[in-house]
Amino acid sequence: MDTKLLTSNLVLFSSILFTLFAFSYGQNCSTHQFTNNNLFSTCNPLPVLNSFLHWTYHPDNHTVDLAYRHGGVTESSWVAWAMNPDGRGMVGCQSLIAFRNSSGQILAYTSPITSYNTALTEGALSFGVPRISAEFVGSEMIIFATLELPSNRTSFTQVWQNGRVSGQALQVHETSGDNIRSVGIVDFASGQTSAGAGGGISASARQRRRNIHGVLNAVSWGVLMPMGAIFARYLKVFKSANPAWFYLHAGCQTVAYAVGVAGWGTGLKLGSDSVGIRFDTHRNIGITLFCLGTLQVFALLLRPKPDHKFRLYWNIYHHVTGYTVIILSIINVFEGFDALNGQKNWKRAYIGVIIFLGAIAVLLEAITWFIVIRRKKTSVSDKYPHGNGTNGYASRSHDQTA
């Protein structure tokens, strides 16, 4: 097997993968295709609750055609998008509600919110809504509506929520984490949204931070780390690949660690900017990976020579820690996808990547064993060119007697 060809293919694959991840993460909004083939001129990802707002503003009659997408929900969930023409909070919001009732029908209706004790009952809004409908696709509820905006304004406070449905009753939404941060400003004319009732961080900027965090960690810990292990495990069996396999292994793992630390740093920043939002398992595994990865880097600097008496123990430590990092990395990538509710396409894509790397590993494992066994047979043949030592002696004695 041509080791240079194998190496170049793996490197090319990782480069293409990184590009696809980086490009695709930002495409969930603008390139989304609706089942009814609706098209909208503007789309913005909302900063929390895995939600997106698509719209087309018609200045001639001051109306807006919109679609609100809320991912990561179940068939027993309700979702709502609301606009507050006169205030900055929940009270006064003019809401669009959608849920699946007990008979399996998707209901969509309007509901004005006049107090914090609202039951989200159906009612007319302070502005016209000539069209409203909804659909449930996969794990995503989508509300379609046409709004007749209040006169002389295009910028409003927006609020979005989700909660559980029990029978026909819509239960109170969670009062912590993302559910108390789902408020912002939308300007239908300029096409801009921002987080918080008073503006502030752009929703698209927050989503971009999450995308960067996801891309850096998925590619580094989730792909480059396993690839580095493949280099070390399978290339060194080829004599022509020595010592190139070591430099490929060390280089790949070093790049993975450096990019992974950058991803880890963006995660810390996201955590500090998201008070009340906790993904404990994802965070704890991330911290563990950073510590183990750092130990591996320092262990490389303290690597004994091949004939040193402690080299065996160093090898055991290096392999155990390395494979632990790979396993935890893959687990944590999936934890990250779970934190980004509804990102099933990216989860499927990553599963495909892992299957691909696993298939390469299985193939190379078989080739490695074939080469090793063949070398052992060749070595035995060279050592005993006339067959087994005992049989050879017996044969010579018989000849002499004869």
Coordinates of all heavy atoms in Angstrom, one line a residue, residues 310-347:
F310 N 11.8 2.7 31.6 CA 10.5 3.2 31.8 C 9.6 3.3 30.6 O 8.5 3.8 30.7 CB 10.5 4.5 32.6 CG 11.1 4.4 34.0 CD1 12.1 5.2 34.4 CD2 10.5 3.5 34.9 CE1 12.6 5.1 35.7 CE2 11.0 3.4 36.1 CZ 12.1 4.2 36.6
R311 N 10.2 3.0 29.4 CA 9.4 3.2 28.1 C 8.1 2.4 28.1 O 7.1 2.9 27.6 CB 10.3 2.9 27.0 CG 9.7 3.1 25.6 CD 9.2 4.6 25.4 NE 8.6 4.8 24.1 CZ 9.2 5.3 23.1 NH1 10.4 5.7 23.2 NH2 8.5 5.5 22.0
L312 N 8.2 1.2 28.6 CA 7.0 0.4 28.6 C 5.8 1.0 29.4 O 4.7 1.1 28.9 CB 7.3 -1.0 29.2 CG 6.1 -1.9 29.4 CD1 5.4 -2.3 28.1 CD2 6.5 -3.2 30.2
Y313 N 6.1 1.6 30.6 CA 5.1 2.2 31.4 C 4.6 3.5 30.7 O 3.4 3.8 30.8 CB 5.7 2.5 32.8 CG 6.2 1.3 33.5 CD1 7.6 1.1 33.6 CD2 5.3 0.3 33.9 CE1 8.1 0.0 34.2 CE2 5.8 -0.8 34.6 CZ 7.2 -1.0 34.7 OH 7.7 -2.1 35.3
W314 N 5.5 4.2 30.0 CA 5.1 5.4 29.3 C 4.2 5.1 28.2 O 3.2 5.7 27.9 CB 6.3 6.1 28.8 CG 6.0 7.5 28.1 CD1 6.0 8.7 28.7 CD2 5.6 7.7 26.8 NE1 5.6 9.6 27.8 CE2 5.4 9.0 26.6 CE3 5.5 6.8 25.7 CZ2 5.0 9.6 25.4 CZ3 5.1 7.4 24.4 CH2 4.9 8.7 24.3
N315 N 4.5 4.0 27.5 CA 3.6 3.5 26.4 C 2.2 3.2 26.8 O 1.2 3.5 26.2 CB 4.2 2.3 25.7 CG 5.4 2.7 24.8 OD1 5.6 3.9 24.4 ND2 6.2 1.7 24.4
I316 N 2.2 2.5 28.0 CA 0.8 2.1 28.5 C 0.1 3.4 28.9 O -1.1 3.5 28.5 CB 1.0 1.2 29.8 CG1 1.6 -0.1 29.4 CG2 -0.3 1.0 30.5 CD1 2.0 -1.0 30.6
Y317 N 0.7 4.3 29.6 CA 0.0 5.6 29.9 C -0.4 6.3 28.7 O -1.6 6.8 28.6 CB 1.0 6.5 30.7 CG 0.6 7.9 30.6 CD1 -0.4 8.5 31.4 CD2 1.3 8.7 29.7 CE1 -0.7 9.8 31.2 CE2 1.0 10.1 29.6 CZ 0.0 10.6 30.4 OH -0.3 11.9 30.2
H318 N 0.4 6.4 27.7 CA 0.2 7.2 26.5 C -1.0 6.6 25.7 O -1.9 7.3 25.3 CB 1.4 7.2 25.6 CG 1.2 8.1 24.4 ND1 1.0 9.4 24.4 CD2 1.2 7.7 23.0 CE1 0.9 9.9 23.2 NE2 1.0 8.9 22.3
H319 N -1.1 5.2 25.6 CA -2.2 4.6 24.9 C -3.5 4.7 25.6 O -4.5 5.0 25.0 CB -1.8 3.1 24.6 CG -0.8 3.0 23.5 ND1 0.5 2.6 23.8 CD2 -0.8 3.1 22.2 CE1 1.2 2.5 22.7 NE2 0.4 2.8 21.7
V320 N -3.5 4.4 26.9 CA -4.7 4.5 27.7 C -5.3 5.9 27.7 O -6.5 6.1 27.5 CB -4.4 4.0 29.2 CG1 -5.7 4.3 30.0 CG2 -4.1 2.5 29.2
T321 N -4.4 6.9 27.9 CA -4.9 8.3 27.9 C -5.4 8.7 26.6 O -6.4 9.4 26.4 CB -3.8 9.2 28.4 OG1 -3.3 8.8 29.7 CG2 -4.3 10.7 28.5
G322 N -4.6 8.3 25.5 CA -5.0 8.7 24.2 C -6.4 8.1 23.7 O -7.2 8.9 23.2
Y323 N -6.6 6.8 24.0 CA -7.9 6.3 23.6 C -9.0 6.8 24.5 O -10.1 6.9 24.0 CB -7.8 4.7 23.7 CG -7.0 4.1 22.5 CD1 -5.8 3.4 22.8 CD2 -7.4 4.3 21.2 CE1 -5.1 2.9 21.7 CE2 -6.7 3.8 20.2 CZ -5.5 3.1 20.4 OH -4.8 2.5 19.3
T324 N -8.7 7.1 25.7 CA -9.7 7.7 26.6 C -10.1 9.1 26.0 O -11.3 9.4 26.0 CB -9.2 7.9 28.0 OG1 -8.9 6.6 28.6 CG2 -10.2 8.6 28.9
V325 N -9.2 9.9 25.6 CA -9.5 11.2 25.0 C -10.3 11.0 23.7 O -11.3 11.7 23.5 CB -8.2 11.9 24.6 CG1 -8.4 13.1 23.7 CG2 -7.5 12.4 25.9
I326 N -10.0 10.0 22.9 CA -10.8 9.8 21.7 C -12.2 9.5 22.0 O -13.2 10.0 21.4 CB -10.1 8.8 20.8 CG1 -8.8 9.3 20.2 CG2 -11.0 8.3 19.6 CD1 -8.0 8.3 19.5
I327 N -12.4 8.5 22.9 CA -13.8 8.1 23.3 C -14.6 9.3 23.9 O -15.7 9.5 23.5 CB -13.7 6.9 24.3 CG1 -13.1 5.7 23.6 CG2 -15.1 6.6 24.8 CD1 -12.8 4.5 24.5
L328 N -14.0 10.0 24.8 CA -14.7 11.1 25.4 C -14.9 12.2 24.4 O -16.0 12.9 24.5 CB -13.8 11.7 26.6 CG -13.7 10.8 27.8 CD1 -12.9 11.5 28.9 CD2 -15.1 10.6 28.4
S329 N -14.0 12.4 23.4 CA -14.2 13.4 22.4 C -15.4 13.1 21.6 O -16.3 14.0 21.3 CB -13.0 13.5 21.5 OG -11.8 13.9 22.2
I330 N -15.6 11.9 21.1 CA -16.7 11.5 20.3 C -18.0 11.7 21.1 O -19.0 12.2 20.6 CB -16.6 10.1 19.8 CG1 -15.4 10.0 18.8 CG2 -17.8 9.6 19.1 CD1 -15.0 8.6 18.4
I331 N -18.0 11.2 22.4 CA -19.2 11.4 23.2 C -19.6 12.8 23.4 O -20.7 13.2 23.3 CB -18.9 10.8 24.6 CG1 -18.8 9.2 24.5 CG2 -20.0 11.1 25.6 CD1 -18.4 8.5 25.8
N332 N -18.6 13.7 23.6 CA -18.9 15.1 23.8 C -19.3 15.8 22.6 O -20.1 16.8 22.7 CB -17.6 15.8 24.4 CG -18.0 16.9 25.4 OD1 -19.0 16.8 26.1 ND2 -17.2 17.9 25.5
V333 N -18.9 15.4 21.4 CA -19.4 16.0 20.2 C -20.9 15.7 20.1 O -21.7 16.6 19.8 CB -18.7 15.4 18.9 CG1 -19.5 15.8 17.7 CG2 -17.3 15.9 18.9
F334 N -21.4 14.5 20.4 CA -22.8 14.2 20.5 C -23.5 15.0 21.6 O -24.7 15.4 21.4 CB -23.0 12.7 20.6 CG -22.7 12.0 19.4 CD1 -21.6 11.2 19.2 CD2 -23.6 12.0 18.3 CE1 -21.3 10.5 18.1 CE2 -23.3 11.3 17.1 CZ -22.2 10.5 17.0
E335 N -22.9 15.2 22.7 CA -23.4 16.0 23.8 C -23.7 17.5 23.2 O -24.6 18.1 23.5 CB -22.5 16.1 25.0 CG -22.5 14.8 25.8 CD -23.8 14.6 26.5 OE1 -24.5 15.5 26.9 OE2 -24.2 13.4 26.7
G336 N -22.7 17.9 22.4 CA -22.8 19.3 21.9 C -24.0 19.4 20.9 O -24.7 20.4 20.9
F337 N -24.2 18.3 20.1 CA -25.3 18.3 19.2 C -26.6 18.3 20.0 O -27.6 18.9 19.6 CB -25.3 17.1 18.3 CG -24.2 17.2 17.2 CD1 -23.4 16.2 17.0 CD2 -24.1 18.3 16.4 CE1 -22.4 16.2 16.0 CE2 -23.2 18.4 15.4 CZ -22.3 17.4 15.2
D338 N -26.7 17.6 21.1 CA -27.9 17.5 21.9 C -28.2 18.9 22.5 O -29.3 19.3 22.7 CB -27.7 16.5 23.0 CG -27.8 15.1 22.5 OD1 -28.3 14.9 21.3 OD2 -27.3 14.2 23.2
A339 N -27.1 19.7 22.9 CA -27.3 21.0 23.4 C -27.9 21.9 22.4 O -28.6 22.8 22.7 CB -25.9 21.6 23.9
L340 N -27.5 21.7 21.1 CA -28.1 22.5 20.0 C -29.4 21.7 19.5 O -29.3 21.0 18.4 CB -27.1 22.6 18.8 CG -25.9 23.5 19.2 CD1 -24.9 23.4 18.0 CD2 -26.3 24.9 19.4
N341 N -30.4 21.8 20.2 CA -31.6 21.0 20.0 C -32.0 21.1 18.5 O -32.0 22.1 17.9 CB -32.8 21.5 20.8 CG -32.6 21.1 22.3 OD1 -32.0 20.1 22.6 ND2 -33.1 22.0 23.1
G342 N -32.3 19.9 17.9 CA -32.9 19.9 16.6 C -31.8 19.8 15.5 O -32.2 19.7 14.3
Q343 N -30.5 19.8 15.8 CA -29.5 19.7 14.8 C -29.2 18.3 14.3 O -28.1 17.8 14.4 CB -28.2 20.4 15.3 CG -28.4 21.8 15.7 CD -28.8 22.7 14.6 OE1 -28.4 22.5 13.4 NE2 -29.5 23.7 14.8
K344 N -30.3 17.6 13.9 CA -30.2 16.2 13.5 C -29.3 16.0 12.3 O -28.7 15.0 12.1 CB -31.5 15.6 13.4 CG -32.3 15.4 14.7 CD -33.6 14.7 14.5 CE -34.3 14.5 15.9 NZ -35.5 13.7 15.7
N345 N -29.4 17.0 11.3 CA -28.6 16.8 10.1 C -27.1 16.8 10.4 O -26.4 15.9 9.8 CB -28.9 18.0 9.2 CG -30.3 17.9 8.6 OD1 -30.9 16.8 8.5 ND2 -30.9 19.0 8.1
W346 N -26.7 17.6 11.3 CA -25.2 17.6 11.6 C -24.9 16.4 12.4 O -23.8 15.9 12.3 CB -24.9 18.9 12.4 CG -25.5 20.1 11.7 CD1 -26.2 21.1 12.3 CD2 -25.4 20.5 10.4 NE1 -26.5 22.1 11.4 CE2 -26.0 21.7 10.2 CE3 -24.7 19.9 9.3 CZ2 -26.1 22.3 9.0 CZ3 -24.9 20.5 8.0 CH2 -25.5 21.7 7.9
K347 N -25.8 15.9 13.2 CA -25.5 14.7 14.0 C -25.3 13.5 13.0 O -24.4 12.7 13.1 CB -26.6 14.4 15.0 CG -26.3 13.2 15.8 CD -27.5 12.9 16.8 CE -27.5 13.9 17.9 NZ -28.5 13.5 19.0

